[in-house]
Amino acid sequence: MSALLPFASPLLLLLIAGLLAGLAAAQPKFKYHWLVAVLGSIAAWLLAAFALQAAGQSKLALVEWEPVTVYRESPALLMDAFSWPFGLALATLALAVMLTDVARAAEANWSVWSGSLFLIALGMLAVSAGNPLSLALLWAAIDLAEFVILLGTIETKAMRERLVVAFSARVGGVLVLLGADLSAGAGGSPLNLSQVSQDYSIYLLLAAGLRLGVIPLHQPFLREVPVRRSLGTSSRLVSAASSLILLVRTATAGVQSTAAGYLFALACLTAFYAAISWLRSQDELDGRPYWLLGAGSFALAAAVQGQAQAALSWSLALLFSGGLLFLYSGRHTSLRLLVALGLLGFLGLPYTPNATGMQMYRMPIGLGDLVLLLAQALMVVGYLRHGLRLSPPLAGVERWVWAIYPWGLTLLPLVHFGAGWWLLGGARFEFPWQGLAAAALSALWILAARRLALQATWQAPVERLGRDLTGILSLEWLYRALWRLYRPLRNLLDFFSNVVEGEGGVLWALLFLVLFMAILSQLNSGAAP
Amino acid sequence: MNVALIWMFFPAACGAVLLFLQRQQRLVYIVGIVVALSLSLLAWQLPIGEPISLGSAEFVIEDSFTILGRSFVLQSNDRFYLVLLYQGLVFWFGGAALARVNRLFVPLGLGMVALLTASLSVEPFLYAAPLLALTALVSVPLLSQPGKPNRGVLRLISFIFLGFPFILFSGWLLQGLETAPQDASSLLEINVIIGLGFALLLGIFPFHTWISMLLLEGNPFAVAFVLYELPVAVSILGLSFIERYPWLITGELSTVLQFVGVLMVVLGGVWAGFQRHLGRMIGQAVIMETGFSLLAISLLGSNSQQALSLFFTLILPRGLSLGIWGLALSVLQNAMQGENKELPPEQALNYRHVQGIAQRYPVASAALLLAHFSLAGFPLLAGFPVRLALLDALSDESISIGLACLFGLAGLMAGGIRTLAVFISAEGVLAWESLETIPQRLLLVLGAAMLILVGLFPQWFTPFLVQMMAIFPNLSR
């Protein structure tokens, strides 16, 4: 029972999600779904907050796949200093979603809460995955759940195609992870997520990068899917968190120097593209995919250099600061302080949670670092731009909504600062200049943009430049070219099928057999001493 | 009382009687299911060759039966296989009632399984080959529509009847070798002859074309049934060879099996990635399954227990996935033909005709995709644990084999993702309605749940499957 305690939080959330669905089916007149969801989320948050302290590092076998002569691995969970902050972030997100949903009464109902809690519970389990098998299972569960939820809300054929593309990229990530697991097993040392070997870190980074859309750069949702704000936020952040944990774990090993350069360059490119797109987005929901891409690229850049704490710091900034902005649906001037706190959580100034994230920058500073610095500055400007908007206003709501909604938002920076302070350890007394530089660059950008905005002649060329740059960096042109290659290849295979299935098919089979045996005999004679 | 009477003659006789009750289809299905269920329960509970007390009476089920100088021997070791065979039949008969298959499905299905049991038990074991050829012949009416020539069936029969003389001939040569000293050249000849025989019987590259052709023209459920039963029985015959002549499994043979296995997995996967016909897609999955079986057998040289465990563990996810896939496809094919009477059956399952079908047939579409992804080794589903275990074992031999198989699986997954895209490709909000009948929905949902259950908790099923390796006492030692 005590072994189960560190993992009780996601299990409780799963129970609450099931209970909400059960109540809706059994008692249609039941009106207290929200209360059940909030109480469950509070309990889950408390369990998550004290999980690590309660048991220290612990591992739990979920089920034993038998016989062991057939199955080498069984699903297991792991609670340690990496999985705990992610788990806490997701538990906080669950509570924040529930509390802020009071301001979105029109679009919130039991199914949204149940769906959000279910996804977040799966995410919490995924960040606690104890081995690649468990991670693959939980990734698959998250992908399927997210697919089904989004499918019900998408209205256009094009968006559905995008959904399938996103799903296939995620499946690609699962396959790369399994490939890494196979390679490690063949090498005689099964992949251990709590102690990743440098020999396989490149594959793991690829797996996580593929799922995040960073390697190779691909963004299936160039426009955000129109899904309810809280459910959309939950699904996006859960999916990101479940991939980021792998980045952080891999960062403990780092990457061999030859591959590191390429991966770092890719991360810089993606960060820059994402930052421009985030800044140019219509609003924070429209730009959400770019936020995930941008902050995910920073985490990848840190992981490539073996900076596990920096990767963790960026991952948490993505979840907490992003979560705050995406749940900030009802705007008011008095709540701008919260946006400022969210920004501080991301900026990387000294004594703030993301100060550790600044370890991502190399010394002496290179071209890649400058690109990252610029990207960070643009992300900050974008955050300010989307956060300081005052529409839609939070007006005409009952007083109790005013009492609860701000608390839901406050919770995210509060926990971020608390967890960040605890996680910073010795680094909290360091003075990272890069955060200040990013802030200064952001300020410069804002000043320049204001000047340009006054001169109408500059607006059109700058807009065009931004559009062209994102067009090139998005690599859409490359994927279109690859798709054009697919068709002739398919026609070739169709032709071959028609030939072997036609009237002369048996003769063709015999011909292939002769060829096949000739090749085999050549191979054998070549192998003979 | 003897084993042949219970598990061979009785089901065959039931099948023969049911042939005359074609007008009462419901009765035929009920009787078929009850017979299959009873025989599986008997296989599970009845001890073979030991005294059984029934009140004051005591009797023994003899483990052998001799006819025309040939014996049919079934021992306690074979019981688990019999349970799987007849339990599987219950599942297939249950689905057949909903898949609108040929009226002869139950009678001929019983006859086929009786013949498969005979092929497992016949001594000398070489006679299993003509029995398997006979099984393929019996399956012909299931695979084709009356009065319509089916090129796939013709090719299947051609290859099977070309293949079984090779098996008999190689058996004759092997018996000669038991009394004469062995030399390398005669061993190579025998290996080539056996290899040719099994290549023809199993539909191994380049003799695999009939598999896709069958699915283009026949009822998908009936074809899936045949494609599940026949390859398993032929593979077991292959294992019987190795059980009897263990020196056959040399390093060279393992290499050839691995080469052919990988070739089938990779080719099947690549073809699936480019496929545009839902029926043919199953064909590619079946080709890959044969490849996986060969790869499991190739491990006999290094760890025979693990190899046999993997070989038998592959059977349950395969049967379950093929059954659900076949049933879902039949539902969709019937729906397409119902909506457009002029649509030829071979075109009904083309991508262009099933666009957006998930809106109208969500349960069948979802079940089809789950079965597809299960055979592609998608995590959470029945096929995943055993594929991962097999790939792990193969990677120990050579990582390139493991990664090549993973590539093949990726191809099959790509095929599944394309099917998914086609199924949901419709304009506007998906207006969900479920046009499947209630029994179809129930069975498909139950099947999908089973796929997930086996995928998450393989430890509940695998120990039973692993026990089947007792059929081969020498190899499993």
Side-chain angles (χ1 to χ4, degrees):
Chain A
M1 194 66 190
S2 60
L4 197 66
L5 194 64
F7 310 100
S9 180
L11 299 178
L12 178 68
L13 286 183
L14 279 179
L15 193 74
I16 299 293
L19 183 68
L20 289 176
L23 281 171
Q27 294 192 354
K29 289 183 180 171
F30 186 77
K31 290 177 183 169
Y32 303 104
H33 295 104
W34 180 80
L35 198 62
V36 172
V38 168
L39 291 176
S41 303
I42 291 173
W45 187 85
L46 289 171
L47 283 169
F50 297 106
L52 192 64
Q53 280 73 9
Q57 181 168 327
S58 62
K59 202 162 182 176
L60 174 73
L62 281 177
V63 284
E64 287 291 344
W65 283 8
E66 287 174 336
V68 285
T69 49
V70 176
Y71 306 115
R72 288 188 193 167
E73 271 184 319
S74 292
L77 296 178
L78 169 72
M79 178 61 70
D80 62 6
F82 288 131
S83 50
W84 178 74
F86 277 100
L88 183 65
L90 290 177
T92 310
L93 179 71
L95 187 53
V97 162
M98 294 307 137
L99 292 177
T100 55
D101 253 359
V102 293
R104 296 182 285 271
E107 62 175 45
N109 58 34
W110 72 267
S111 65
V112 170
W113 299 322
S114 177
S116 295
L117 293 182
F118 181 70
L119 276 173
I120 289 173
L122 286 182
M124 289 176 79
L125 289 172
V127 298
S128 310
N131 53 29
L133 168 69
S134 319
L135 191 58
L137 286 170
L138 286 156
W139 275 357
I142 290 171
D143 296 345
L144 282 179
E146 195 185 3
F147 184 88
V148 171
I149 288 170
L150 293 182
L151 184 62
T153 58
I154 291 176
E155 294 183 8
T156 65
K157 188 177 169 184
M159 285 301 277
R160 263 182 229 122
E161 278 170 10
R162 288 282 171 184
L163 183 62
V164 175
V165 173
F167 180 71
S168 54
R170 303 266 180 84
V171 172
V174 175
L175 287 171
V176 174
L177 173 68
L178 292 176
D181 194 25
L182 285 180
S183 304
S189 52
L191 207 53
N192 182 355
L193 285 185
S194 55
Q195 206 172 4
V196 174
S197 158
Q198 202 185 45
D199 296 339
Y200 308 106
S201 55
I202 178 89
Y203 303 112
L204 299 181
L205 289 181
L206 270 177
L210 202 57
R211 289 179 65 82
L212 284 167
V214 182
I215 322 172
L217 171 58
H218 61 277
Q219 200 52 39
F221 293 112
L222 293 172
R223 271 187 56 232
E224 180 66 8
V225 178
V227 67
R228 290 173 184 179
R229 186 182 276 258
S230 52
L231 190 56
T233 302
S234 306
S235 82
R236 283 321 176 82
L237 294 184
V238 160
S239 180
S242 66
S243 306
L244 288 167
I245 181 71
L246 190 62
L247 278 188
V248 174
R249 289 195 182 284
T250 310
T252 55
V255 184
Q256 283 169 344
S257 57
T258 44
Y262 294 112
L263 284 178
F264 187 73
L266 275 174
C268 296
L269 185 80
T270 309
F272 187 61
Y273 162 71
I276 294 177
S277 303
W278 165 246
L279 182 62
R280 293 179 67 236
S281 299
Q282 210 174 353
D283 56 36
E284 72 281 0
L285 290 189
D286 189 43
R288 189 158 57 191
Y290 303 111
W291 168 264
L292 300 176
L293 200 61
S297 304
F298 294 140
L300 177 69
V304 167
Q305 295 172 73
Q307 299 284 359
Q309 287 300 326
L312 176 63
S313 190
W314 277 113
S315 304
L316 293 180
L318 180 154
L319 296 173
F320 282 112
S321 298
L324 170 69
L325 192 58
F326 302 140
L327 292 177
Y328 181 33
S329 56
R331 305 297 174 103
H332 197 273
T333 42
S334 62
L335 297 176
R336 281 182 164 176
L337 176 67
L338 294 175
V339 177
L341 283 176
L343 187 69
L344 270 181
F346 181 77
L347 200 49
L349 293 177
Y351 310 112
T352 60
N354 199 24
T356 331
M358 299 304 109
Q359 291 169 0
M360 164 184 78
Y361 294 101
R362 298 173 301 182
M363 292 302 285
I365 200 156
L367 179 66
D369 302 279
L370 285 176
V371 173
L372 282 179
L373 201 63
L374 186 59
Q376 192 189 341
L378 294 180
M379 293 287 284
V380 168
V381 178
Y383 196 94
L384 272 174
R385 182 174 165 242
H386 299 313
L388 295 181
R389 265 188 312 104
L390 281 176
S391 64
L394 183 67
V397 292
E398 293 178 50
R399 286 176 67 86
W400 66 274
V401 171
W402 263 109
I404 293 173
Y405 173 69
W407 272 110
L409 294 174
T410 310
L411 203 61
L412 286 158
L414 208 64
V415 177
H416 190 193
F417 273 75
W421 188 255
W422 181 79
L423 287 168
L424 278 172
R428 76 179 73 135
F429 301 111
E430 288 172 9
F431 200 82
W433 58 268
Q434 297 93 337
L436 287 172
L441 270 177
S442 306
L444 269 176
W445 183 280
I446 291 166
L447 281 174
R450 288 204 163 186
R451 277 283 166 89
L452 286 177
L454 295 175
Q455 299 172 10
T457 48
W458 281 92
Q459 276 184 356
V462 167
E463 266 297 304
R464 202 180 315 124
L465 182 70
R467 216 171 29 241
D468 293 346
L469 209 56
T470 49
I472 294 166
L473 293 177
S474 72
L475 300 187
E476 282 284 310
W477 53 273
L478 179 67
Y479 302 127
R480 271 198 295 275
L482 287 176
W483 180 246
R484 283 202 190 105
L485 272 179
Y486 173 86
R487 285 173 187 274
L489 206 57
R490 190 179 66 191
N491 291 341
L492 188 71
L493 287 176
D494 281 351
F495 172 74
F496 186 75
S497 290
N498 288 336
V499 167
V500 294
E501 290 175 12
E503 295 296 331
V506 177
L507 290 175
W508 278 108
L510 291 173
L511 177 68
F512 282 125
L513 180 73
V514 172
L515 279 174
F516 184 58
M517 289 179 77
I519 292 169
L520 271 181
S521 63
Q522 284 294 318
L523 285 176
N524 270 346
S525 61
Chain B
M1 186 83 76
N2 62 61
V3 287
L5 199 63
I6 300 174
W7 285 289
M8 285 170 244
F9 294 124
F10 177 66
C14 286
V17 171
L18 291 178
L19 276 176
F20 297 101
L21 297 172
Q22 289 307 302
R23 289 192 178 170
Q24 292 167 304
Q25 274 296 295
R26 191 168 288 181
L27 178 71
V28 169
Y29 282 117
I30 291 170
V31 171
I33 289 171
V34 169
V35 167
L37 191 64
S38 312
L39 290 173
S40 80
L41 285 174
L42 284 176
W44 185 29
Q45 289 296 327
L46 274 188
I48 297 172
E50 293 171 26
I52 302 165
S53 300
L54 205 67
S56 58
E58 191 171 88
F59 62 96
V60 175
I61 296 177
E62 300 292 342
D63 61 1
S64 71
F65 173 75
T66 306
I67 185 169
L68 300 172
R70 310 281 167 250
S71 307
F72 292 93
V73 183
L74 282 172
Q75 295 171 326
S76 278
N77 296 346
D78 303 320
R79 281 168 45 208
F80 292 105
Y81 183 65
L82 289 177
V83 172
L84 184 83
L85 205 58
Y86 284 97
Q87 195 63 50
L89 209 53
V90 176
F91 165 74
W92 285 101
F93 284 172
L98 306 172
R100 293 198 209 161
V101 289
N102 192 308
R103 284 168 170 254
L104 299 172
F105 189 87
V106 173
L108 295 186
L110 280 169
M112 279 175 69
V113 172
L115 282 168
L116 292 179
T117 312
S119 74
L120 173 77
S121 60
V122 68
E123 290 286 348
F125 77 95
L126 284 173
Y127 286 89
L131 284 169
L132 288 174
L134 200 58
T135 312
L137 260 188
V138 171
S139 72
V140 168
L142 300 182
L143 302 173
S144 51
Q145 293 173 328
K148 287 190 178 174
N150 185 325
R151 291 184 308 122
V153 175
L154 279 177
R155 195 166 290 185
L156 160 72
I157 296 300
S158 309
F159 283 163
I160 295 266
F161 276 84
L162 273 174
F164 93 81
F166 280 105
I167 302 291
L168 290 179
F169 185 56
S170 63
W172 177 69
L173 288 175
L174 283 167
Q175 280 169 354
L177 271 188
E178 280 179 327
T179 51
Q182 302 168 14
D183 65 87
S185 64
S186 55
L187 269 181
L188 181 68
E189 281 169 16
I190 291 171
N191 273 333
V192 169
I193 291 169
I194 294 177
L196 264 177
F198 280 103
L200 285 158
L201 290 179
L202 274 174
I204 290 173
F205 181 85
F207 303 113
H208 64 289
T209 46
W210 55 269
I211 297 175
S212 293
M213 291 165 75
L214 279 182
L215 281 150
L216 207 57
E217 295 165 11
N219 178 293
F221 188 78
V223 179
F225 171 68
V226 174
L227 289 179
Y228 164 69
E229 298 286 0
L230 263 185
V232 172
V234 174
S235 307
I236 285 179
L237 174 63
L239 284 170
S240 303
F241 264 88
I242 301 169
E243 164 83 0
R244 182 72 179 267
Y245 308 105
W247 42 265
L248 275 175
I249 190 87
T250 57
E252 280 181 356
L253 184 65
S254 286
T255 309
V256 171
L257 283 174
Q258 281 176 355
F259 182 78
V260 176
V262 167
L263 192 71
M264 294 192 72
V265 170
V266 171
L267 279 183
V270 169
W271 241 269
F274 289 89
Q275 202 49 257
R276 279 177 295 177
H277 188 275
L278 294 177
R280 280 172 176 272
M281 195 77 86
I282 296 195
Q284 306 308 331
V286 170
I287 290 169
M288 290 177 73
E289 281 300 302
T290 306
F292 280 125
S293 293
L294 293 179
L295 287 167
I297 294 171
S298 77
L299 295 170
L300 277 171
S302 50
N303 185 343
S304 59
Q305 278 206 351
Q306 187 190 32
L308 286 178
S309 303
L310 287 167
F311 174 83
F312 285 109
T313 307
L314 280 166
I315 293 177
L316 177 69
R318 180 185 306 157
L320 198 58
S321 306
L322 282 180
I324 294 163
W325 198 342
L327 177 60
L329 263 190
S330 295
V331 170
L332 295 184
Q333 191 182 41
N334 291 332
M336 286 295 101
Q337 288 188 284
E339 287 175 11
N340 183 357
K341 304 272 187 225
E342 290 171 7
L343 195 63
E346 66 271 19
Q347 285 185 22
L349 294 174
N350 263 341
Y351 272 176
R352 67 170 175 276
H353 294 300
V354 293
Q355 280 195 349
I357 201 169
Q359 287 188 93
R360 286 163 290 150
Y361 295 89
V363 181
S365 305
L368 183 148
L369 287 166
L370 285 177
H372 185 143
F373 281 117
S374 165
L375 286 183
F378 189 78
L380 295 177
L381 299 172
F384 173 68
V386 65
R387 269 154 194 70
L388 189 64
L390 179 60
L391 263 53
D392 263 335
L394 289 167
S395 299
D396 284 350
E397 304 265 310
S398 158
I399 182 62
S400 42
I401 295 178
L403 292 180
C405 291
L406 196 64
F407 176 74
L409 288 173
L412 190 57
M413 273 190 212
I417 289 170
R418 288 182 60 231
T419 305
L420 170 68
V422 170
F423 278 1
I424 60 169
S425 148
E427 281 299 343
V429 182
L430 290 182
W432 299 103
E433 51 178 338
S434 179
L435 297 179
E436 300 94 347
T437 62
I438 291 174
Q440 282 173 345
R441 259 180 265 166
L442 277 177
L443 199 65
L444 288 169
V445 168
L446 193 70
M450 276 301 289
L451 285 177
I452 294 171
L453 201 69
V454 178
L456 283 177
F457 306 103
Q459 73 275 16
W460 293 348
F461 308 92
T462 312
F464 168 79
L465 296 164
V466 167
Q467 282 179 319
M468 278 194 282
M469 75 164 114
I471 302 173
F472 305 108
N474 291 334
L475 288 176
S476 59
R477 206 175 289 151

